[in-house]
Amino acid sequence: MTNPKFCEHPLLDIDGWRNVAIPVVLHADGARFQERDSLLTISLKGLLFSRTSKKDAHMLIGSLPKSVSTKAAVEELWAVVQWSCAALLDGRHPLTDHLGHAWPSGSSRAQLAGHPLHPDGLRGVVWGVCGDLDFFSKELGLPHPAATEFCFRCKANRSDLPWNDF
């Protein structure tokens, strides 16, 4: 595979990946929660799905009220999301929790550990992360679109090198 998007991609280690991998995207954004608060909401959707209703197209992964979220709480939420996405790519129920701790003996999680997520061996591969510009700036630490130097990929800015100066 010569496509640079696949350079050292773990998907290529899966035998017959073209037949079992389903591309998904993470979507994160603020969602109205109360009159003066909102939730950081993270969901997952199939990239190739053609559903028109958000209710049917997005699977909720987690939400955290912004008014009470701390840096540690947000990091914990993203650690669980990363762990979940790794299990989705692996195609099996995880052997441990997101902290690496074994499941309690006899629990339903312990009984599922290592078994396929889907009977046909289907897996999910995160192909992108969607959100609005506010999310990318506040949650992912990318430059805010109103900043003087707003592009993280090039040297475009709002003074001597405008993005629209071709």
Side-chain angles (χ1 to χ4, degrees):
M1 175 90 29
T2 59
N3 188 321
K5 292 184 283 190
F6 285 101
C7 181
E8 297 184 29
H9 199 289
L11 181 66
L12 299 178
D13 296 333
I14 300 169
D15 288 333
W17 65 269
R18 292 175 193 261
N19 299 319
V20 296
I22 298 172
V24 298
V25 291
L26 286 174
H27 180 265
D29 202 354
R32 186 180 168 105
F33 174 53
Q34 293 178 340
E35 201 170 298
R36 294 187 178 154
D37 199 4
S38 63
L39 298 168
L40 167 60
T41 301
I42 303 170
S43 60
L44 185 78
K45 70 176 186 171
L47 184 61
L48 304 176
F49 293 177
S50 62
R51 298 201 175 120
T52 55
S53 166
K54 283 187 178 181
K55 180 185 85 168
D56 295 333
H58 290 256
M59 181 179 78
L60 178 66
I61 294 178
S63 287
L64 190 63
K66 289 185 179 180
S67 64
V68 296
S69 62
T70 62
K71 182 179 179 186
V74 171
E75 287 175 358
E76 184 85 6
L77 177 61
W78 281 110
V80 173
V81 170
Q82 186 276 330
W83 168 80
S84 297
C85 291
L88 194 58
L89 180 62
D90 185 45
R92 293 176 294 180
H93 289 274
L95 301 174
T96 65
D97 67 13
H98 71 287
L99 299 173
H101 302 135
W103 301 115
S105 181
S107 69
S108 60
R109 292 275 181 121
Q111 292 172 12
L112 287 172
H115 287 84
L117 291 172
H118 190 275
D120 295 330
L122 298 179
R123 304 161 183 240
V125 57
V126 176
W127 208 247
V129 178
C130 301
D132 61 12
L133 295 175
D134 194 50
F135 162 75
F136 284 114
S137 174
K138 289 181 180 173
E139 299 299 330
L140 300 184
L142 296 175
H144 193 277
T148 301
E149 307 221 350
F150 53 86
C151 185
F152 73 100
R153 304 237 10 193
C154 70
K155 298 185 184 302
N157 60 43
R158 296 193 189 283
S159 57
D160 62 335
L161 193 58
W163 68 270
N164 58 355
D165 183 3
F166 300 108

